[in-house]
Amino acid sequence: MSGSAPLPAADLDQKAFLVAAKRALSIGVPKLTWDQFALRVGVEPRAMKTYRMPAESSDFRTMPKLVIEKVEALVRSASAAGVSETLVTLPSEADASTWRRGPDAMKLLPASLAALTTRQARQVFMGGGASMISGVDRLWTGVSGLSDEDRRAMALVSRARLSLGLSDIGAEIHELLAYCTKPLGVWLPIPAVKEAGLSSVYLIDPEDRMPTLEAEELAAGFSGATGLLEEQVFAAFQDSLSKHSSKDADEYYSQVRTFVVRNPVVNRKQLLRFVTTLPAAVWVCVEQQFYEPLPSSLLTGETATLCAHCSNVMAKHAGALRCTTAACCAEHGPSPGRTQPASELMRLNRSLRKYWFEPGIDELRLADRLAANGHKVRMYPNRDAVDLDLGDGRPVGIDLKAYSSPELLGERLRRRPGGLRTYKKPLLVIPDWLARRVPSYIDRVSACLEGSPIRALTLSDAVAELGHA
Ligand SMILES: [Zn+2]
């Protein structure tokens, strides 16, 4: 077969695309393995495996656009000039070790990059230039001014990449932000990233083009200036609660947040039925600020199909309907539920989807399983002191977190245990799908929590340990 034969479309059949690309690159390297192929593309072998899974598998991951482009470029240049000289040079261990001796600045690179992405996002949202373009190289058209901090972070990226023999992507902010939608280990394979367990971390969510929770966590340790986006969006809600007694406010908070997590998409009647159970100020806030019309890009004609597991809207993906909730896809195959007229539906706004709904999927899963065992579960007690507990005055308090990096998570909880501190038996629960996907997750996060009373375990282990009430 000729190396210049066209590749199958990656978005239609990711596996066929990869098989054809590997075959094309094998011309000059007869025994090219999948792991070698992954390294040449610049992704972790583990990630490549998830890209080759059948689309209906719960381990399946969509290849980021930039990885597809990289594969295509490799195949193009292999067929044009012969394989051996055109493969991407990988940083050798010897190259990498010079960084270990290098200036401490490199250690700060992940955090300073994370701070850059959160600053840029804030600028876009608060400067009113909230026009985001997805799918192309321009991420945030509203990005304008760069601070000295930003320039320093960009210069560090350039230096790190160039000395690893990789192209310079730190010179242009839009290009750099586009790379931030890939896992750090893919495009910034420096020791500071690997040693801190950050290889799997995305700084910008490739789907919704916002800094990830992990980027904000990293930046928080660096600039202390994050959380502003969240504060802005949720201030009105907190304000509406503040007019009530602390006990009532706690209760309304739990009710609203649980409703949000169970109802990422609602019709107007359903929303009205719920909000009218709330006091006026809270009602107005939820009704007017939490939900927005369903975007037409998610619709298949006049109707929308909702996921049978999490009730979020399903979208066409590689020819089949898939749930648009990441935590749901990680655990289940697609399972279409109700179909409703699209004009009646509204969905949660972007901030609520990110901060409440996505993390809430696993929280609900845990709460429902504990409730089935007869426990009296309280979700988000005391205005979110912890994700859930088993009742007032009871010893168990639980936070559930799905950070891709166990090191980042462990560090964060050791530094800021939050409401868990107030419980006799504080538990950190990791979704089963994440513990399956990341090797030794529980051991790694536990190592970072040494000396802390917080104990980490998987969701299934937590359910087993807490047993029946
Ligand atoms: Zn779902």
Side-chain angles (χ1 to χ4, degrees), residues 283-354:
W283 161 2
V284 169
C285 178
V286 174
E287 196 205 354
Q288 296 183 356
Q289 300 193 26
F290 279 26
Y291 288 87
E292 62 187 22
L294 214 52
S296 53
S297 61
L298 282 179
L299 300 179
T300 43
E302 302 288 295
T303 59
T305 303
L306 305 187
C307 171
H309 295 295
C310 73
S311 304
N312 202 356
V313 65
M314 299 187 80
K316 270 255 161 65
H317 187 94
L321 276 179
R322 253 167 81 97
C323 177
T324 49
T325 308
C328 184
C329 294
E331 193 74 43
H332 309 286
S335 174
R338 289 173 293 144
T339 293
Q340 294 207 350
S343 58
E344 290 173 9
L345 295 176
M346 304 171 70
R347 71 156 173 183
L348 287 172
N349 73 35
R350 186 193 287 267
S351 295
L352 284 152
R353 291 200 305 275
K354 170 177 169 180

Side-chain angles (χ1 to χ4, degrees), residues 424-440:
K424 275 210 191 74
K425 186 173 177 179
L427 300 180
L428 168 63
V429 172
I430 309 299
D432 294 321
W433 57 263
L434 183 59
R436 277 197 302 270
R437 192 178 283 175
V438 179
S440 322

